[in-house]
Amino acid sequence: MQIKFRCPTRIFLGPNCVMENSMEMSALGKKALIVTGANSAKASGALQDMISALEQEGIAYSIFDEIEQNPSIKNVFEGGQAAKEFEAEFIIGIGGGSPLDASKAIAILAVNDITPEQLMAKQWSIEPLPIVAVPTTAGTGSEVTPYAILTIDWAETKQSIAADSLFPIVAYLDGKYTLSLPWSITANTAVDALTHSIEGFINNKADSLTDLLALESIAIIGKLLRSIVPQQISLTEREELLYASMLGGIVIAHTGTGIIHALGYQLTYFNNLPHGLANGVVTKAVLEFLEQASPIKVKQVVDALGCNNLDEVGALLIRVLPGVSISLTEEEQKKYVTKTLQAKNIANCPKPPKEEDLYKILLSSKLC
């Protein structure tokens, strides 16, 4: 048995955890840049709670609320400039995966004068500013990972920056911040969290500890997806989804993702599908492929989800996700397959896919 495990983020999960643990931010500095999107942090109440907490601790703040969905290089450089002008001493990301990931890139750019190419190549000399993360969706787990996922137009896909210094120092998880989410976002982000745990479980880098966390996450999400009633989701169910999402984040912080994400990125970039939905569309077909090399682990995933077979897994995903009407041309299929094969994370798969495998996954997912 070999285990290498690290989770440097100090996690606070529960009602009013921001205000009750605001002193954790006092050690990080006296000036904070809050990084968020235009609406979610305000609508959820997380922004106002954070402002109250900062005022309670005597910490000055400025707000950069211009983060795009699927943030671009240009977007994070604008945030980095805002951090420099404010002379921020730490960064607070509030929102879904986009603001949290962007906050990590901004933490780098706040103290480094580098080009976009140097950012993506991890060529910076000064350590990023400390990061505080407050998720308002239960999906990405970015609050406990060292990854920042950005949209890279020159590569026509999404790519990640990874460094231990990008782990948030503190994460505040309060289920009430997800109460304002519509069902579509709740479902998409829950499926994103599910795919994190599935890919981290069926993974060359998995170990007994990450497997334990992954199966716990899969079981929680499976139970909720089978029983949850759209538009009537309780705070308890929201809290459970947030907890499961965090577990999935801890898992992929150690293992990375796999084919689902590598292929899903293409559907997000070129077809504008929300990230979780893009992942969910191909999940059943990818599991069918992975079953060839890891039948026992695929069976454990099916069992943890409370299903009897992969057809039931597919039916469960169809139940919670909106329908997708995409018919990829031969040229698009070729492009998606080529770009997926270039993705680093497919090396994590017990059986790395070949071209014909990816074409079959696209076909089985009814995308062509």
Side-chain angles (χ1 to χ4, degrees):
M1 181 181 294
Q2 290 187 347
I3 293 176
K4 294 181 181 180
F5 191 86
R6 182 168 182 252
C7 184
T9 305
R10 191 172 177 88
I11 299 165
F12 296 94
L13 189 155
N16 306 312
C17 59
V18 174
M19 287 298 295
E20 291 180 4
N21 301 281
S22 60
M23 71 290 297
E24 294 293 325
M25 293 183 285
S26 294
L28 303 181
K30 287 297 181 182
K31 299 181 75 175
L33 179 73
I34 299 175
V35 174
T36 187
N39 299 308
S40 64
K42 300 182 183 74
S44 67
L47 179 60
Q48 186 54 57
D49 280 0
M50 179 55 69
I51 288 172
S52 298
L54 293 173
E55 290 176 346
Q56 179 171 280
E57 300 301 323
I59 298 171
Y61 65 89
S62 179
I63 300 173
F64 182 77
D65 59 0
E66 300 174 27
I67 298 302
E68 308 159 339
Q69 185 176 359
N70 303 309
S72 63
I73 286 284
K74 179 177 180 290
N75 195 204
V76 296
F77 268 78
E78 291 168 346
Q81 185 60 36
K84 288 178 180 176
E85 291 175 358
F86 183 62
E87 298 181 338
E89 296 176 19
F90 67 102
I91 306 295
I92 301 171
I94 304 178
S98 293
L100 298 191
D101 285 2
S103 69
K104 298 174 186 179
I106 289 169
I108 299 167
L109 297 170
V111 289
N112 287 278
D113 293 317
I114 53 177
T115 66
E117 292 76 13
Q118 288 172 320
L119 173 66
M120 299 310 299
K122 292 172 52 178
Q123 294 175 352
W124 62 81
S125 57
I126 302 174
E127 289 292 279
L129 294 180
I131 302 157
V132 173
V134 185
T136 60
T137 65
T140 71
S142 185
E143 68 274 8
V144 289
T145 75
Y147 309 129
I149 313 295
L150 302 176
T151 298
I152 311 300
D153 287 332
W154 71 69
E156 293 186 314
T157 190
K158 297 173 78 170
Q159 293 182 350
S160 67
I161 313 167
D164 275 2
S165 55
L166 296 181
F167 273 107
I169 303 297
V170 180
Y172 296 110
L173 292 83
D174 191 329
K176 72 182 179 185
Y177 298 148
T178 68
L179 284 172
S180 60
L181 293 177
W183 167 247
S184 60
I185 295 178
T186 300
N188 288 343
T189 53
V191 170
D192 185 24
L194 174 63
T195 59
H196 289 160
S197 293
I198 290 173
E199 290 185 292
F201 182 66
I202 309 173
N203 193 297
N204 290 332
K205 297 177 183 175
D207 59 38
S208 58
L209 187 50
T210 59
D211 282 356
L212 183 70
L213 299 175
L215 286 175
E216 170 78 352
S217 174
I218 292 167
I220 292 170
I221 296 171
K223 173 178 70 75
L224 291 170
L225 292 184
R226 292 195 315 273
S227 63
I228 214 164
V229 177
Q231 318 308 333
Q232 297 180 28
I233 309 172
S234 68
L235 177 57
T236 297
E237 290 171 323
R238 296 279 188 185
E239 289 172 336
E240 289 179 336
L241 280 174
L242 194 58
Y243 171 66
S245 172
M246 179 197 71
L247 294 181
I250 294 173
V251 170
I252 62 168
H254 293 85
T255 65
T257 54
I259 304 174
I260 295 173
H261 275 71
L263 191 51
Y265 286 157
Q266 317 315 321
L267 293 168
T268 294
Y269 186 87
F270 292 106
N271 299 96
N272 203 33
L273 289 189
H275 176 59
L277 176 58
N279 287 350
V281 167
V282 300
T283 293
K284 175 178 177 283
V286 170
L287 283 170
E288 289 172 339
F289 166 74
L290 293 173
E291 190 176 29
Q292 300 171 40
S294 301
I296 294 175
K297 280 207 159 185
V298 170
K299 179 64 164 59
Q300 287 177 284
V301 168
V302 172
D303 291 345
L305 283 169
C307 298
N308 293 307
N309 50 53
L310 285 176
D311 285 340
E312 287 191 12
V313 172
L316 178 62
L317 292 170
I318 289 172
R319 174 184 178 271
V320 298
L321 293 175
V324 172
S325 179
I326 293 175
S327 183
L328 301 176
T329 65
E330 289 185 8
E331 182 180 353
E332 288 173 327
Q333 292 174 52
K334 183 177 180 180
K335 179 186 290 187
Y336 292 16
V337 167
T338 299
K339 288 186 172 295
T340 301
L341 288 172
Q342 293 169 348
K344 295 178 181 179
N345 47 356
I346 64 171
N348 296 329
C349 301
K351 180 182 179 182
K354 298 178 181 178
E355 279 191 17
E356 57 266 30
D357 298 317
L358 293 175
Y359 279 113
K360 185 176 180 180
I361 288 169
L362 290 174
L363 181 62
S364 181
S365 301
K366 300 180 180 179
L367 294 171
C368 53

